[in-house]
Amino acid sequence: MAPDTDPTGPRLAALATLLADETRAAFCLALLDGRAWTAGELARHARVAPSTASEHLGRLVAGGLLTEERQGRHRYLRIAGPAVAHLVEDLAAHAEPSGEPPRTLRAAGASHALARGRTCYDHLAGRLGLALTDALTDRGLLSQDTGFALTDRGLDWFREQGIGLERTGRRPLVRPCLDWTERKPHLAGVAGAALCRHLLASGWCVRIGSGRAVKVTDDGELALRERLGIDPGILR
Amino acid sequence: MAPDTDPTGPRLAALATLLADETRAAFCLALLDGRAWTAGELARHARVAPSTASEHLGRLVAGGLLTEERQGRHRYLRIAGPAVAHLVEDLAAHAEPSGEPPRTLRAAGASHALARGRTCYDHLAGRLGLALTDALTDRGLLSQDTGFALTDRGLDWFREQGIGLERTGRRPLVRPCLDWTERKPHLAGVAGAALCRHLLASGWCVRIGSGRAVKVTDDGELALRERLGIDPGILR
DNA sequence: GGGACGTTTCGGCGGGGACCGTACGGTGTC
DNA sequence: GACACCGTACGGTCCCCGCCGAAACGTCCC
């Protein structure tokens, strides 16, 4: 029996409290695009007064979920790290009951772009992320039969493509990420982040507007078909 | 940019709210032993009035985190499933700042037993869980180099031991679980649960008292040394 | 310097929820 | 049937916290 003075309960509750508010949850979800937002942008996004946002952001930073960077009169905020991003993603995946179609046209348009491809903190998700993951799996570079791991041939492939896989700290090389639109896992972890950086750096995909949506370029369609046999039609 | 009417935020907040209370968090952590507790037991454990516990349990059940089973005048409660257990574990792991030694002697004694071996919902954790995971890894049955997956030899080993690995639904065959005492991942998922069941059924380990602590029996020490080369000294 | 802008601090309001005690219904036991 | 026991419904209290507006501070630009 756990001792009644187990400090884990209060700490778990404190952590959950940070995400237990609609405004703070909206902040964290928005920041899942992996980039830095200003306090004002977040306030407008969540439709609350700047003063309200300021308080919330103070708590999220104090709680270690976000980090801040002051530049002049701006306060830039981002998710504190991959572990936090993973946590929020995981929680969001559990919160989503099932496939529920969006209602408004604008939401439908936005969610269509997001469903096609987007960043999920530092890796790719949406149909694009899934297509990459499936292609790696089909070609025997990634094994999902008995877990989730790169094969030896997969390691070679990353090396051939010139995609470095420097392991930093305790972060896993690969990790499945189950996001809340697709219901299948896609590639995350060090390799997922490296692959995302590589596609963006090569100009194979680009960000759309200011959000987390991304789209594959013409060069990208060619490269992905050549190197991974991905049918461009899937990505549209 | 995510639409402002994205329903994910409110749902995420609602889910987090369920764990954002010390009493409810204590309930969920206690139930992580994987067994059913009565409402009264949980109330005493968390030091709240029965009526208070009843309200909390109602919310947790309504929110899908717990399931209930009525038997006579008792109300038995358990974690709703592996996904929920995983979620709570994950959150608890993030909530724990770092290795902080317990203060009271009773807590030290209890946490010592828990550190040696315990169930983590349906698989084994603590030094025992870690020793099993490490042994499987050292013998090339489990690969952690490029992800987390059973090897072909690992699949054979489970078969030889007569441990069935029936996959149910979408649950992964293996999954790393990072709990909050050890800082290294141990084996979870279908295989982790099957291994735990096998050890308990074979009498190689038994539960201590009414909690989630387990200890290895003499038979178990022999079997684990023979089959996985585990030094019994590690488990003490 | 002046003015626009981003952000923070503070006071105050309002609502939700965590808690308890009490009373009550259902269940098992003598 | 009387009694202990487990769980629940209800009323009431208290406190926390999410929100805003107003005012102030710092920064950037002209």
Side-chain angles (χ1 to χ4, degrees):
Chain A
M1 167 177 13
D4 296 327
T5 54
D6 185 355
T8 305
R11 276 201 279 258
L12 171 54
L15 175 60
T17 297
L18 291 177
L19 296 169
D21 172 80
E22 289 194 15
T23 301
R24 287 194 296 267
F27 287 174
C28 291
L29 288 173
L31 288 164
L32 268 191
D33 67 355
R35 294 176 306 160
W37 292 49
T38 67
E41 284 170 343
L42 289 168
R44 283 188 296 276
H45 175 76
R47 302 185 183 284
V48 293
S51 56
T52 304
S54 181
E55 292 176 20
H56 285 309
L57 294 171
R59 292 183 64 177
L60 288 168
V61 170
L65 294 190
L66 304 184
T67 57
E68 64 184 6
E69 195 178 336
R70 311 264 178 162
Q71 279 183 20
R73 58 182 165 180
H74 292 284
R75 180 191 197 181
Y76 287 99
L77 296 133
R78 34 174 97 242
I79 296 277
V84 174
H86 180 196
L87 184 67
V88 176
E89 270 289 329
D90 224 36
L91 220 45
H94 278 273
E96 211 59 21
S98 62
E100 205 173 88
R103 300 221 172 76
T104 71
L105 273 183
R106 271 196 61 209
S111 88
H112 189 260
L114 286 175
R116 214 164 36 209
R118 67 175 175 281
T119 51
C120 173
Y121 185 56
D122 62 1
H123 59 273
L124 292 165
R127 280 206 298 281
L128 172 57
L130 203 53
L132 288 166
T133 304
D134 287 348
L136 290 169
T137 305
D138 290 344
R139 308 198 124 206
L141 309 178
L142 178 70
S143 165
Q144 296 190 52
D145 290 338
T146 63
F148 201 90
L150 282 182
T151 62
D152 291 338
R153 287 177 49 209
L155 282 177
D156 292 340
W157 184 85
F158 273 85
R159 204 171 295 123
E160 289 162 13
Q161 301 295 318
I163 308 176
L165 295 179
E166 289 80 24
R167 308 198 59 167
T168 60
R170 294 185 174 280
R171 192 173 184 203
L173 184 66
V174 307
R175 174 177 76 72
C177 174
L178 189 67
D179 73 342
W180 66 86
T181 53
E182 317 292 337
R183 280 313 205 182
K184 292 165 66 182
H186 56 263
L187 180 66
V190 170
L195 187 58
C196 176
R197 276 198 309 275
H198 187 68
L199 263 65
L200 285 170
S202 305
W204 295 347
C205 61
V206 293
R207 292 189 180 275
I208 304 174
S210 64
R212 59 191 159 174
V214 298
K215 81 172 209 289
V216 178
T217 61
D218 292 343
D219 279 0
E221 290 194 352
L222 194 63
L224 292 181
R225 187 168 50 197
E226 275 178 2
R227 292 161 202 246
L228 285 170
I230 293 177
D231 172 17
I234 296 181
L235 307 175
R236 291 186 188 129
Chain B
M1 167 178 12
D4 297 326
T5 54
D6 184 356
T8 305
R11 277 202 279 258
L12 171 54
L15 174 60
T17 297
L18 291 176
L19 296 169
D21 173 80
E22 290 194 14
T23 301
R24 287 194 296 268
F27 287 175
C28 291
L29 287 174
L31 288 164
L32 268 191
D33 67 355
R35 294 176 305 160
W37 292 49
T38 67
E41 285 169 342
L42 289 168
R44 284 188 296 275
H45 176 76
R47 302 187 183 284
V48 292
S51 56
T52 303
S54 182
E55 292 177 21
H56 285 309
L57 293 172
R59 290 184 63 176
L60 288 169
V61 170
L65 294 190
L66 304 185
T67 57
E68 64 183 6
E69 197 177 332
R70 311 265 178 163
Q71 280 183 21
R73 58 181 165 181
H74 293 284
R75 180 193 195 180
Y76 288 99
L77 295 133
R78 34 175 97 243
I79 297 276
V84 174
H86 180 196
L87 185 66
V88 176
E89 271 289 328
D90 223 36
L91 221 45
H94 278 270
E96 211 59 20
S98 63
E100 206 174 88
R103 301 224 171 75
T104 70
L105 274 182
R106 269 196 63 207
S111 87
H112 188 260
L114 286 175
R116 213 161 39 208
R118 67 176 175 282
T119 51
C120 171
Y121 185 57
D122 62 1
H123 59 274
L124 292 166
R127 281 206 298 281
L128 172 58
L130 203 52
L132 288 166
T133 304
D134 288 348
L136 289 169
T137 305
D138 291 344
R139 310 198 123 205
L141 309 178
L142 178 70
S143 165
Q144 296 191 52
D145 290 336
T146 63
F148 201 91
L150 281 182
T151 62
D152 290 339
R153 287 177 49 209
L155 281 177
D156 292 341
W157 185 85
F158 273 85
R159 205 172 295 122
E160 288 162 14
Q161 303 293 320
I163 308 176
L165 295 178
E166 289 81 24
R167 308 197 59 167
T168 60
R170 295 188 174 276
R171 192 172 185 203
L173 184 66
V174 306
R175 175 177 74 74
C177 175
L178 188 68
D179 73 341
W180 66 84
T181 53
E182 317 292 340
R183 278 314 202 180
K184 293 166 64 183
H186 57 261
L187 180 68
V190 170
L195 187 59
C196 175
R197 275 198 311 274
H198 187 67
L199 263 66
L200 285 169
S202 304
W204 294 347
C205 60
V206 293
R207 291 189 182 273
I208 303 173
S210 64
R212 58 190 161 174
V214 298
K215 79 174 212 285
V216 177
T217 61
D218 292 342
D219 279 1
E221 291 194 352
L222 194 63
L224 293 181
R225 187 168 50 197
E226 274 179 2
R227 292 161 203 246
L228 286 170
I230 293 177
D231 172 17
I234 296 181
L235 306 174
R236 287 181 191 135

